[in-house]
Structure formats: structure tokens, C-alpha cells
């Protein structure tokens, strides 16, 4: 009898132990599954937002693979085109909020950090704005534009590219219609109006080539001038349209440090790395020359050779190592497109090429560059 009860106790201990073992291995499996589903934004959650530019197809919900990728990998969105002046404010008294409403709803659905791009930009303007020639009238145009758009999304869009690409390469202000009519104070006006409409929104000055010394000085003086007049500016957006070699890591690092020291955070707002030759890299080439259809300028029409794939991966790795080193200065890193096939770089500066500038390929699969970037967090 005693032997039987000993046997039963032993038997139950073994069964219990086996069940526990199974439960634990289930937990391990669950963890493995979870880590499989982990995306960029989870991996970098303690560092900065991981964002992506969304095009009309994503906003309309017709790119279902893109939507799944977006949900898995990114926690911030920027509208690639639909909030630009010519689309959202095409007539003086006519706004078209159809796509921007959908965009904001999509960001809210995913609990994304939502960016507005862009309020004041000389490009993709509506024709009627180009015709304004009087300072008082242009002040009113800006007031109406900023009040209407920011007002509609107050508390919903968390960050705004208030002024985009106001600088020439030498750091002076570009001769835009805003500069011509209002003068340099249009920057003060835009940032002041923006801070009045939504005092809690993050306000950004956004531009390309901001790693170049002269342009960097120009951007720093924009920041300092605004701050010296008590006008809110929170972030300098370095667009990040880079290539395999340039800008150098030293230039990128120095720029991040310089902007931060000027009293703002940095966002990498439009990151992509072209792997194709550009007209201005060719000695003696005319930028206006038509290279469309030129095979030398479109060397990888079918697929990217392994050697270039590896160069791209190691370039992304070293850039993200740098971002992590300066993580307290960086608020967000946004890729300019969801996958290679959706990149504007297939059509610029030469139309109809096949470029590979992002972390996901045309099948929405992660590339070597993605694994290198994720590898930094393992
Ligand atoms: O929607 C029309 C379509 O109806 C028409 O058939 C087609 C014919 O060309 O054009 C389509 O519009 C294009 C639009 O992208 C949407 O695809 C425009 O031609 C084209 O010029 C426009 O390019 C955009 C570019 O800004 C315009 O300046 C790119 O997609 C967009 O990626 C790019 O983004 C800018 C940032 O906003 C600011 N920083 C630089 C960055 C790269 O240029």
C-alpha cells in the first residue's frame, strides 16, 4: 500500500514536471514567434521613432502588403505628396482634405506619430500662390493656409514640417515667392503662426544637403534667428537623400552635433541611399542632358548584384551606428518610401530607372541592409 502511494506521488511529480516543461517550452516558442514579428520600431523603441513616407496607394489601402509592412515595422508616418500645397489648397478658397483626412485616420488607427509635410515650400505650390505679388496679401495667404490645415488636425498631427527647403546651397535664402513678397521674415511668420495654431505640435525646418558646411551654417542661422526672437522651433529635419559614399560619416555626425548644440533636436526625415550613378557625378556631364534609356546610367535593371547589396548594407549599418551613438539628439528616422519599387529615386534625376535605396525590396522582403540595421539591436 505504502509502495503504491509512493509510486503515485512519484508518478504525479513526474507528470507535473513534464507539464511544466511543456508550458515553458511553449513560452520559449511564443517568445521566438514574437521576436519573428518584431519590427524596426520595436527594436529601436528606446532610441527614436522609425518612420516611413506613405504614398496615395498606402493611404487608400490598396497596397495591402505595404500596409502590413507599415504596421509591423514603423511607428511614424509622413505623407509623401498628398499634403503639398498644390493638392491640399489648390484654389485660394478651396481646400481638398479628402486624402489628408484618410492619412490622419490611418495614423490614428495604427497609433503612429503623425507628421505633416509640408506647410511652406516653393515646390509643388498651387499656381495661384505664384501669382501673389504683394507682401500684405502673402501674409494673409500664409495665415489662412496654416490656420486652416494645422487647425483641422490640431492635436492629431504631432509634428509639422513648417518650412521646407528655404536655403540655397551657399546657405543664403532661396528666391522663393515667399521671400520675394514678404522677405526673410516669412520664416518667422510661418513658425509663429504654426506655434499659435497648435502650441503642442513639434515644429521642424526641413531641408536636403544639410550636412554640407555652407548650408549647415544657413540652417543654424535660421534656428538661431527664430530662437533669438522667441519663436518656437523644435527640430531640424535632415532629409537624408544620400548615396553609398556621401555625405561622409564625419559630416553627418558633425551636423547632428551642430544642430543639437544650436538648441534643437534632429530628425532624419527622408532617408534613402541611391545606388545608381547621377549625372553630376560624371565629369563633364550636363545635368540637363537627357540620360533616359542610357544603359550606363541604369546598370541594375533586373536585380542588384551581391557586391552592391553588401555595400548598401554596410553603409546603412554604419549610418545607424552613428544614429544610435547620438540617440539622445535624434527624435525620428523616416525612410522615404515603403519599398524600393515605391521610391521616387526610380524616376529622379533620370526617369525610368531601377533603384534600390530602401530596406525592403520590391517583394516587400527585408534586404541585407535591414538585417544589418536590426543586427545593431541584438
Ligand atoms: O500624381 C501625378 C499623376 O497623376 C501623373 O500621372 C504623374 C505623371 O508624372 O505625376 C504624378 O505626380 C507626381 C507625384 O510625385 C506623385 O507621384 C509628380 O509628377 C512628381 O513630381 C512627384 O514627385 C514627388 C516630388 O517630391 C515632387 O517634388 C515625389 O513623389 C516625392 O517623393 C518628392 O518628395 C520630396 C519631398 O517632398 C521634399 N524633399 C525632397 C523629396 C524628394 O524630391
Amino acid at each position: 500500500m505504502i509502495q503504491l502511494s509512493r509510486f503515485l506521488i512519484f508518478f504525479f511529480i513526474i507528470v507535473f514536471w513534464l507539464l511544466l516543461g511543456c508550458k515553458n517550452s511553449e513560452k520559449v516558442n511564443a517568445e521566438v514567434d514574437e521576436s519573428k514579428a518584431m519590427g524596426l520600431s520595436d527594436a529601436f523603441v528606446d532610441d527614436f521613432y522609425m518612420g516611413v513616407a506613405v504614398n496615395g496607394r498606402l493611404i487608400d489601402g490598396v497596397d495591402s502588403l505595404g500596409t502590413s509592412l507599415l504596421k509591423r515595422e514603423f511607428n511614424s508616418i509622413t505623407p509623401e505628396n498628398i499634403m503639398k500645397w498644390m493638392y491640399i489648397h489648390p484654389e485660394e478658397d478651396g481646400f481638398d482634405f479628402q486624402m489628408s483626412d484618410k492619412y490622419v485616420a490611418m495614423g490614428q488607427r495604427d497609433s503612429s506619430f503623425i507628421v505633416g509635410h509640408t506647410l511652406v515650400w516653393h515646390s509643388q505650390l498651387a499656381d495661384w500662390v505664384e501669382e501673389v505679388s504683394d507682401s500684405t496679401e502673402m501674409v494673409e495667404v500664409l495665415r489662412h493656409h496654416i490656420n486652416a490645415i494645422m487647425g483641422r488636425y490640431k492635436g492629431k498631427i504631432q509634428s509639422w514640417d513648417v518650412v521646407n527647403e528655404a536655403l540655397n546651397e551657399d546657405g543664403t535664402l532661396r528666391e522663393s515667392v515667399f521671400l520675394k513678397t514678404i522677405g526673410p521674415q516669412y520664416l518667422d511668420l510661418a513658425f509663429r503662426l504654426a506655434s499659435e495654431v497648435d502650441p503642442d505640435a513639434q515644429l521642424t525646418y526641413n531641408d536636403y544637403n544639410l550636412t554640407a558646411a555652407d548650408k549647415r551654417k544657413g540652417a543654424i542661422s535660421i534656428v538661431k534667428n527664430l530662437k533669438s526672437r522667441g519663436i518656437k522651433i523644435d527640430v531640424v529635419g535632415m532629409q537624408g537623400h544620400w548615396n553609398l559614399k556621401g555625405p561622409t560619416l564625419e559630416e553627418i555626425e558633425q551636423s547632428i552635433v551642430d544642430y543639437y548644440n544650436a538648441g534643437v533636436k534632429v530628425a532624419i526625415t527622408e532617408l534613402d541611399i541611391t545606388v545608381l550613378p547621377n549625372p553630376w557625378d560624371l565629369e563633364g556631364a550636363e545635368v540637363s542632358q537627357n540620360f533616359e534609356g542610357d544603359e550606363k546610367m541604369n546598370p541594375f535593371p533586373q536585380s542588384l548584384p551581391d557586391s552592391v547589396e553588401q555595400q548598401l548594407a554596410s553603409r546603412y549599418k554604419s549610418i545607424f551606428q552613428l544614429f544610435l551613438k547620438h540617440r539622445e539628439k535624434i527624435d525620428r528616422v523616416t525612410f522615404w518610401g515603403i519599398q524600393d519599387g515605391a521610391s521616387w529615386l526610380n524616376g529622379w534625376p533620370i526617369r525610368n530607372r531601377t533603384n534600390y535605396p530602401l530596406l525592403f525590396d520590391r517583394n516587400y522582403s527585408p534586404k541585407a541592409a535591414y538585417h544589418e540595421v536590426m543586427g545593431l539591436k541584438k
Side-chain angles (χ1 to χ4, degrees), residues 34-247:
E34 253 171 49
S35 76
K36 264 190 208 152
M38 188 168 94
L40 288 165
S41 56
D42 302 308
F44 288 81
V45 68
D46 296 327
D47 306 306
F48 28 72
Y49 287 112
M50 280 292 210
V52 65
V54 293
N55 59 20
R57 285 172 47 75
L58 273 168
I59 297 168
D60 273 331
V62 295
D63 178 3
S64 54
L65 289 176
T67 301
S68 324
L69 191 63
L70 167 63
K71 288 183 181 183
R72 193 183 72 219
E73 302 289 341
F74 300 103
N75 56 4
S76 173
I77 52 173
T78 303
E80 184 176 1
N81 284 300
I82 55 105
M83 290 192 96
K84 291 172 181 173
W85 201 311
M86 66 186 288
Y87 301 118
I88 202 169
H89 192 178
E91 308 294 336
E92 191 162 359
D93 286 314
F95 289 88
D96 182 349
F97 293 119
Q98 213 196 330
M99 287 302 277
S100 50
D101 283 356
K102 280 194 201 174
Y103 164 74
V104 171
M106 169 176 139
Q108 290 184 316
R109 173 200 70 196
D110 297 341
S111 308
S112 298
F113 180 81
I114 308 177
V115 180
H117 172 83
T118 170
L119 291 169
V120 183
W121 189 27
H122 67 279
S123 183
Q124 286 186 296
L125 256 184
D127 292 344
W128 65 270
V129 187
E130 301 277 11
E131 279 153 30
V132 176
S133 57
D134 171 77
S135 165
T136 320
E137 196 187 337
M138 188 59 100
V139 168
E140 281 319 304
V141 166
L142 282 185
R143 191 188 307 282
H144 184 43
H145 183 74
I146 293 174
N147 280 349
I149 301 171
M150 277 191 82
R152 187 175 182 91
Y153 302 116
K154 182 174 178 171
K156 294 179 178 163
I157 290 192
Q158 288 91 0
S159 177
W160 282 95
D161 290 346
V162 179
V163 176
N164 204 39
E165 301 173 10
L167 291 167
N168 294 314
E169 295 309 292
D170 66 0
T172 58
L173 287 178
R174 185 194 287 274
E175 273 286 292
S176 68
V177 67
F178 307 109
L179 187 75
K180 280 191 238 160
T181 49
I182 303 178
Q185 313 86 282
Y186 87 85
L187 284 137
D188 293 16
L189 177 71
F191 277 89
R192 195 162 45 71
L193 288 170
S195 69
E196 285 167 5
V197 182
D198 189 349
D200 295 328
Q202 179 187 73
L203 305 183
T204 298
Y205 173 71
N206 188 46
D207 211 331
Y208 57 88
N209 280 351
L210 284 192
T211 48
D214 287 345
K215 212 162 174 182
R216 196 190 313 164
K217 275 192 208 136
I220 288 174
S221 57
I222 288 178
V223 171
K224 290 195 167 158
N225 284 337
L226 288 168
K227 283 188 169 281
S228 71
R229 290 192 266 278
I231 300 169
K232 178 171 149 78
I233 174 166
D234 304 296
V235 168
V236 163
M238 295 168 61
Q239 292 187 0
H241 299 298
W242 295 335
N243 63 44
L244 289 171
K245 301 231 162 60

Side-chain angles (χ1 to χ4, degrees), residues 322-370:
L322 193 60
F323 292 165
L324 284 172
K325 178 174 169 196
H326 293 286
R327 55 202 279 278
E328 80 289 354
K329 305 180 183 70
I330 296 178
D331 192 63
R332 170 172 54 96
V333 177
T334 289
F335 292 86
W336 206 240
I338 189 94
Q339 47 88 6
D340 286 341
S343 168
W344 73 294
L345 289 170
N346 296 301
W348 188 91
I350 299 170
R351 279 186 299 178
N352 293 321
R353 295 198 297 177
T354 310
N355 210 332
Y356 304 81
L358 299 165
L359 297 191
F360 297 93
D361 68 18
R362 285 169 169 76
N363 297 318
Y364 299 81
S365 299
K367 296 160 57 176
Y370 173 90

Side-chain angles (χ1 to χ4, degrees), residues 291-306:
F291 286 104
E292 197 177 347
D294 181 334
E295 283 177 18
K296 279 198 299 302
M297 300 306 271
N298 188 26
F300 318 121
Q302 302 307 332
S303 62
L304 193 62
D306 237 27

